[in-house]
Amino acid sequence: MSGRGEGSGLRYGWTTGACATASTAAAYTALLTGTFPDPVEIVLPKGHCPAFALARERLGNGFATAGVIKDAGDDPDVTHGALVSVTVRPAEPGQGVVFRAGEGVGTITKPGLPLPVGEPAINPVPRQLIRDVVARVAAEHAGSGDVVVEVSVDDGAELARHTWNPRLGILGGLSILGTTGVVVPYSCSAWIDSIRRGVDVARAAGLEHVAGCTGSTSEKVAAELHALPGEALLDMGDFAGAVLKYLRRHPVPRLTIAGGIGKISKLADGHMDLHSKRSQVDFGSLAGIVRDAGGSGELVARVRGANTALEALQLCRAASLPLGDLIAERARAVCLETLRGAPVSVDVVVIDRAGTIVGRTEAD
């Protein structure tokens, strides 16, 4: 089951946490009654009441397993179509709900995340949703509510390779995620949350230098330039504002911002979201930089009429004007302004498409 996002026409879907909650409700009901409810309905934090068809049912001696297929709607989610299963077993009296990581669900191995080291990577909101549904089913069918809940995701270990989990120290599989239970198509929230968790892990590891990078090429350049470990690399993508605003509240002594000439030029103009649909390179602004740096009238005009930031860079390099350095310096000033005095020194690295450094600043 899924629905339409208001005003967007896109189908929203359900998080792995919602799927695990539904699977828990079905499995625990079967454990107490011998029958799986299908479909199984749950209530999510904002009042959504999705019903899930079961894709897996198994009832044995002292356990029940139920699974549902995750439908992420129209969001390009790596876990869309994954089978999320839960096995419920009785726990010792008074234990309440005990969580276990089954096959394809990761385990926390580094501090700085919302769960202690050694715990299954089932985030706090899904845990509460599961506790709530266990209590509801127990009340309806005279259960104790003392259960072991083991969450599994088919092929989760392979899917996790395409997420931030390995870098964050979540090993063995996926995280069971969700704060509302709803996947909003093309939402920025999941990516921004990953950025924040990356900063948390770096801080917990005692790292004093992190890098916010717009892509894999700039990430490689920043890592080699500053000899940074994987935990220090933040997959910033287009969300420069998310990195800067989170570091403003949770500072790390040094930040490197690294990216291509186009995205960094947008940052230099004050844009916090560098996606092409939400900000554009301002060639008038680039022309102003060239003019202020003493560029000729002809060069200013050619930069103003350039098709890409890279073309503007090439024009300036032919005229021995360091446009890359000037953009980096302006971007650094924007970063420092956004940090609002937080104790974070900043340097900016600008690259071309081949990964060659074409502009940079030093940290203060």
Side-chain angles (χ1 to χ4, degrees):
M1 172 185 174
S2 59
R4 296 281 170 183
E6 185 176 347
S8 70
L10 297 173
R11 288 190 318 124
Y12 54 74
W14 313 111
T15 64
T16 49
C19 294
T21 302
S23 296
T24 301
Y28 191 30
T29 300
L31 186 66
L32 294 176
T33 69
T35 302
F36 289 91
D38 188 8
V40 58
E41 186 173 296
I42 60 172
V43 179
L44 296 176
K46 292 190 175 181
H48 294 88
C49 297
F52 296 82
L54 297 187
R56 175 175 289 168
E57 299 178 13
R58 187 178 177 196
L59 184 60
N61 186 18
F63 77 92
T65 300
V68 305
I69 300 293
K70 176 176 173 177
D71 181 0
D74 287 329
D75 193 69
D77 191 307
V78 70
T79 56
H80 176 71
L83 178 57
V84 181
S85 299
V86 170
T87 297
V88 177
R89 300 180 179 88
E92 293 296 322
Q95 285 194 310
V97 179
V98 180
F99 292 97
R100 295 281 183 266
E103 184 177 353
V105 171
T107 298
I108 307 296
T109 68
K110 293 180 181 179
L113 295 168
L115 299 165
V117 170
E119 279 291 307
I122 304 168
N123 272 22
V125 171
R127 286 181 182 231
Q128 189 58 52
L129 289 173
I130 289 171
R131 291 189 186 100
D132 290 346
V133 83
V134 165
R136 175 177 64 78
V137 172
E140 290 175 357
H141 301 292
S144 69
D146 297 312
V147 291
V148 176
V149 172
E150 180 178 297
V151 185
S152 305
V153 181
D154 284 17
D155 300 318
E158 174 61 25
L159 292 173
R161 294 178 58 248
H162 305 285
T163 73
W164 272 37
N165 278 16
R167 182 174 293 174
L168 294 175
I170 301 170
L171 302 184
L174 294 162
S175 301
I176 303 302
L177 301 172
T179 54
T180 65
V182 179
V183 176
V184 179
Y186 295 91
S187 168
C188 303
S189 60
W191 196 316
I192 291 171
D193 186 64
S194 293
I195 290 171
R196 293 169 177 169
R197 298 295 77 79
V199 172
D200 292 342
V201 167
R203 283 166 50 90
L207 299 183
E208 296 190 349
H209 188 174
V210 296
C213 307
T214 60
S216 58
T217 303
S218 58
E219 182 177 278
K220 181 179 179 182
V221 169
E224 292 178 353
L225 182 65
H226 295 300
L228 295 174
E231 295 90 340
L233 303 175
L234 307 174
D235 188 6
M236 178 178 75
D238 295 312
F239 302 111
V243 171
L244 294 166
K245 292 171 186 176
Y246 198 67
L247 285 174
R248 187 167 70 203
R249 302 190 302 273
H250 308 276
V252 173
R254 183 172 178 183
L255 167 67
T256 295
I257 294 288
I261 181 74
K263 290 187 185 295
I264 300 301
S265 69
K266 289 191 280 187
L267 177 60
D269 276 337
H271 295 290
M272 294 290 105
D273 186 335
L274 309 181
H275 194 280
S276 59
K277 290 184 178 180
R278 294 180 287 273
S279 59
Q280 300 294 324
V281 174
D282 185 339
F283 292 97
S285 177
L286 292 181
I289 293 173
V290 172
R291 182 192 61 241
D292 293 345
S296 68
E298 180 186 0
L299 180 60
V300 170
R302 294 183 71 187
V303 167
R304 190 184 304 277
N307 289 322
T308 65
L310 184 60
E311 181 187 354
L313 175 71
Q314 292 167 342
L315 290 169
C316 289
R317 291 178 75 174
S320 299
L321 191 148
L323 181 62
D325 291 335
L326 296 171
I327 289 171
E329 192 58 54
R330 286 205 176 194
R332 179 175 174 273
V334 169
C335 291
L336 292 173
E337 181 180 357
T338 306
L339 287 164
R340 296 182 186 174
V344 181
S345 64
V346 179
D347 68 285
V348 176
V349 179
V350 184
I351 63 170
D352 63 15
R353 290 174 181 171
T356 302
I357 296 176
V358 296
R360 63 179 297 196
T361 69
E362 296 297 331
D364 52 7

mmCIF file of all heavy atoms in Angstrom, residues 180-200:
data_model
loop_
_atom_site.group_PDB
_atom_site.id
_atom_site.type_symbol
_atom_site.label_atom_id
_atom_site.label_comp_id
_atom_site.label_asym_id
_atom_site.label_seq_id
_atom_site.Cartn_x
_atom_site.Cartn_y
_atom_site.Cartn_z
ATOM 1 N N THR A 180 8.962 8.897 10.696
ATOM 2 C CA THR A 180 7.507 9.004 10.541
ATOM 3 C C THR A 180 6.903 7.720 9.987
ATOM 4 O O THR A 180 5.683 7.550 10.025
ATOM 5 C CB THR A 180 7.127 10.147 9.576
ATOM 6 O OG1 THR A 180 7.602 9.838 8.268
ATOM 7 C CG2 THR A 180 7.720 11.467 10.054
ATOM 8 N N GLY A 181 7.752 6.844 9.464
ATOM 9 C CA GLY A 181 7.275 5.635 8.809
ATOM 10 C C GLY A 181 6.981 5.832 7.343
ATOM 11 O O GLY A 181 6.774 4.866 6.610
ATOM 12 N N VAL A 182 6.977 7.078 6.874
ATOM 13 C CA VAL A 182 6.600 7.408 5.498
ATOM 14 C C VAL A 182 7.851 7.807 4.717
ATOM 15 O O VAL A 182 8.664 8.601 5.192
ATOM 16 C CB VAL A 182 5.575 8.548 5.463
ATOM 17 C CG1 VAL A 182 5.196 8.898 4.029
ATOM 18 C CG2 VAL A 182 4.335 8.174 6.274
ATOM 19 N N VAL A 183 8.002 7.273 3.518
ATOM 20 C CA VAL A 183 9.052 7.695 2.593
ATOM 21 C C VAL A 183 8.469 8.745 1.666
ATOM 22 O O VAL A 183 7.560 8.455 0.887
ATOM 23 C CB VAL A 183 9.591 6.509 1.765
ATOM 24 C CG1 VAL A 183 10.603 7.003 0.739
ATOM 25 C CG2 VAL A 183 10.233 5.469 2.669
ATOM 26 N N VAL A 184 8.978 9.972 1.772
ATOM 27 C CA VAL A 184 8.533 11.050 0.884
ATOM 28 C C VAL A 184 9.427 11.040 -0.347
ATOM 29 O O VAL A 184 10.651 11.102 -0.225
ATOM 30 C CB VAL A 184 8.625 12.423 1.590
ATOM 31 C CG1 VAL A 184 8.184 13.532 0.641
ATOM 32 C CG2 VAL A 184 7.789 12.416 2.851
ATOM 33 N N PRO A 185 8.855 10.934 -1.552
ATOM 34 C CA PRO A 185 9.679 10.834 -2.754
ATOM 35 C C PRO A 185 10.660 11.989 -2.892
ATOM 36 O O PRO A 185 10.298 13.155 -2.749
ATOM 37 C CB PRO A 185 8.647 10.857 -3.891
ATOM 38 C CG PRO A 185 7.400 10.334 -3.270
ATOM 39 C CD PRO A 185 7.423 10.852 -1.857
ATOM 40 N N TYR A 186 11.899 11.642 -3.149
ATOM 41 C CA TYR A 186 12.981 12.597 -3.370
ATOM 42 C C TYR A 186 13.162 13.549 -2.184
ATOM 43 O O TYR A 186 13.583 14.690 -2.335
ATOM 44 C CB TYR A 186 12.754 13.387 -4.674
ATOM 45 C CG TYR A 186 12.812 12.495 -5.882
ATOM 46 C CD1 TYR A 186 11.656 11.900 -6.375
ATOM 47 C CD2 TYR A 186 14.018 12.209 -6.500
ATOM 48 C CE1 TYR A 186 11.706 11.046 -7.472
ATOM 49 C CE2 TYR A 186 14.071 11.365 -7.601
ATOM 50 C CZ TYR A 186 12.921 10.796 -8.078
ATOM 51 O OH TYR A 186 12.975 9.955 -9.155
ATOM 52 N N SER A 187 12.857 13.062 -1.002
ATOM 53 C CA SER A 187 13.061 13.869 0.198
ATOM 54 C C SER A 187 14.551 14.024 0.476
ATOM 55 O O SER A 187 15.339 13.115 0.236
ATOM 56 C CB SER A 187 12.381 13.192 1.395
ATOM 57 O OG SER A 187 12.787 13.795 2.596
ATOM 58 N N CYS A 188 14.942 15.183 0.968
ATOM 59 C CA CYS A 188 16.330 15.421 1.342
ATOM 60 C C CYS A 188 16.641 14.891 2.739
ATOM 61 O O CYS A 188 17.809 14.832 3.133
ATOM 62 C CB CYS A 188 16.616 16.928 1.329
ATOM 63 S SG CYS A 188 16.284 17.744 -0.242
ATOM 64 N N SER A 189 15.627 14.527 3.486
ATOM 65 C CA SER A 189 15.817 14.260 4.911
ATOM 66 C C SER A 189 16.750 13.096 5.182
ATOM 67 O O SER A 189 17.579 13.155 6.102
ATOM 68 C CB SER A 189 14.460 14.012 5.587
ATOM 69 O OG SER A 189 13.812 12.899 5.006
ATOM 70 N N ALA A 190 16.654 12.024 4.392
ATOM 71 C CA ALA A 190 17.502 10.860 4.648
ATOM 72 C C ALA A 190 18.967 11.195 4.405
ATOM 73 O O ALA A 190 19.844 10.797 5.180
ATOM 74 C CB ALA A 190 17.059 9.691 3.763
ATOM 75 N N TRP A 191 19.247 11.924 3.329
ATOM 76 C CA TRP A 191 20.627 12.295 3.026
ATOM 77 C C TRP A 191 21.175 13.220 4.115
ATOM 78 O O TRP A 191 22.292 13.038 4.597
ATOM 79 C CB TRP A 191 20.694 12.981 1.669
ATOM 80 C CG TRP A 191 22.082 13.065 1.070
ATOM 81 C CD1 TRP A 191 23.242 13.396 1.695
ATOM 82 C CD2 TRP A 191 22.437 12.785 -0.282
ATOM 83 N NE1 TRP A 191 24.298 13.369 0.831
ATOM 84 C CE2 TRP A 191 23.838 12.989 -0.394
ATOM 85 C CE3 TRP A 191 21.714 12.403 -1.401
ATOM 86 C CZ2 TRP A 191 24.518 12.823 -1.605
ATOM 87 C CZ3 TRP A 191 22.395 12.240 -2.598
ATOM 88 C CH2 TRP A 191 23.777 12.438 -2.700
ATOM 89 N N ILE A 192 20.381 14.197 4.511
ATOM 90 C CA ILE A 192 20.834 15.131 5.542
ATOM 91 C C ILE A 192 21.057 14.414 6.863
ATOM 92 O O ILE A 192 22.026 14.688 7.587
ATOM 93 C CB ILE A 192 19.827 16.287 5.681
ATOM 94 C CG1 ILE A 192 19.877 17.162 4.419
ATOM 95 C CG2 ILE A 192 20.096 17.126 6.926
ATOM 96 C CD1 ILE A 192 18.786 18.215 4.347
ATOM 97 N N ASP A 193 20.198 13.456 7.176
ATOM 98 C CA ASP A 193 20.391 12.685 8.398
ATOM 99 C C ASP A 193 21.697 11.898 8.341
ATOM 100 O O ASP A 193 22.414 11.794 9.346
ATOM 101 C CB ASP A 193 19.217 11.734 8.618
ATOM 102 C CG ASP A 193 19.294 11.024 9.954
ATOM 103 O OD1 ASP A 193 19.221 11.715 10.991
ATOM 104 O OD2 ASP A 193 19.447 9.790 9.972
ATOM 105 N N SER A 194 22.042 11.373 7.171
ATOM 106 C CA SER A 194 23.305 10.646 7.026
ATOM 107 C C SER A 194 24.499 11.575 7.226
ATOM 108 O O SER A 194 25.509 11.184 7.819
ATOM 109 C CB SER A 194 23.380 9.994 5.645
ATOM 110 O OG SER A 194 22.430 8.976 5.514
ATOM 111 N N ILE A 195 24.400 12.810 6.738
ATOM 112 C CA ILE A 195 25.461 13.789 6.973
ATOM 113 C C ILE A 195 25.646 14.022 8.469
ATOM 114 O O ILE A 195 26.769 14.027 9.002
ATOM 115 C CB ILE A 195 25.137 15.109 6.257
ATOM 116 C CG1 ILE A 195 25.259 14.946 4.737
ATOM 117 C CG2 ILE A 195 26.056 16.241 6.748
ATOM 118 C CD1 ILE A 195 24.750 16.130 3.940
ATOM 119 N N ARG A 196 24.546 14.201 9.168
ATOM 120 C CA ARG A 196 24.624 14.447 10.610
ATOM 121 C C ARG A 196 25.234 13.265 11.346
ATOM 122 O O ARG A 196 26.056 13.430 12.252
ATOM 123 C CB ARG A 196 23.223 14.747 11.149
ATOM 124 C CG ARG A 196 22.656 16.065 10.639
ATOM 125 C CD ARG A 196 21.190 16.209 10.970
ATOM 126 N NE ARG A 196 20.660 17.506 10.547
ATOM 127 C CZ ARG A 196 19.373 17.803 10.528
ATOM 128 N NH1 ARG A 196 18.473 16.898 10.900
ATOM 129 N NH2 ARG A 196 18.979 19.001 10.138
ATOM 130 N N ARG A 197 24.832 12.038 10.960
ATOM 131 C CA ARG A 197 25.394 10.860 11.613
ATOM 132 C C ARG A 197 26.882 10.742 11.304
ATOM 133 O O ARG A 197 27.661 10.296 12.153
ATOM 134 C CB ARG A 197 24.659 9.607 11.151
ATOM 135 C CG ARG A 197 23.174 9.554 11.478
ATOM 136 C CD ARG A 197 22.873 9.509 12.981
ATOM 137 N NE ARG A 197 23.014 10.793 13.648
ATOM 138 C CZ ARG A 197 22.109 11.749 13.604
ATOM 139 N NH1 ARG A 197 21.007 11.599 12.892
ATOM 140 N NH2 ARG A 197 22.310 12.872 14.277
ATOM 141 N N GLY A 198 27.293 11.156 10.094
ATOM 142 C CA GLY A 198 28.706 11.144 9.759
ATOM 143 C C GLY A 198 29.507 12.080 10.649
ATOM 144 O O GLY A 198 30.607 11.736 11.105
ATOM 145 N N VAL A 199 28.969 13.273 10.906
ATOM 146 C CA VAL A 199 29.634 14.207 11.821
ATOM 147 C C VAL A 199 29.678 13.612 13.229
ATOM 148 O O VAL A 199 30.715 13.686 13.919
ATOM 149 C CB VAL A 199 28.908 15.569 11.832
ATOM 150 C CG1 VAL A 199 29.483 16.474 12.918
ATOM 151 C CG2 VAL A 199 29.019 16.237 10.469
ATOM 152 N N ASP A 200 28.594 13.015 13.672
ATOM 153 C CA ASP A 200 28.556 12.424 15.014
ATOM 154 C C ASP A 200 29.614 11.345 15.184
ATOM 155 O O ASP A 200 30.297 11.270 16.211
ATOM 156 C CB ASP A 200 27.173 11.822 15.290
ATOM 157 C CG ASP A 200 26.081 12.869 15.400
ATOM 158 O OD1 ASP A 200 26.411 14.057 15.601
ATOM 159 O OD2 ASP A 200 24.897 12.494 15.281
#
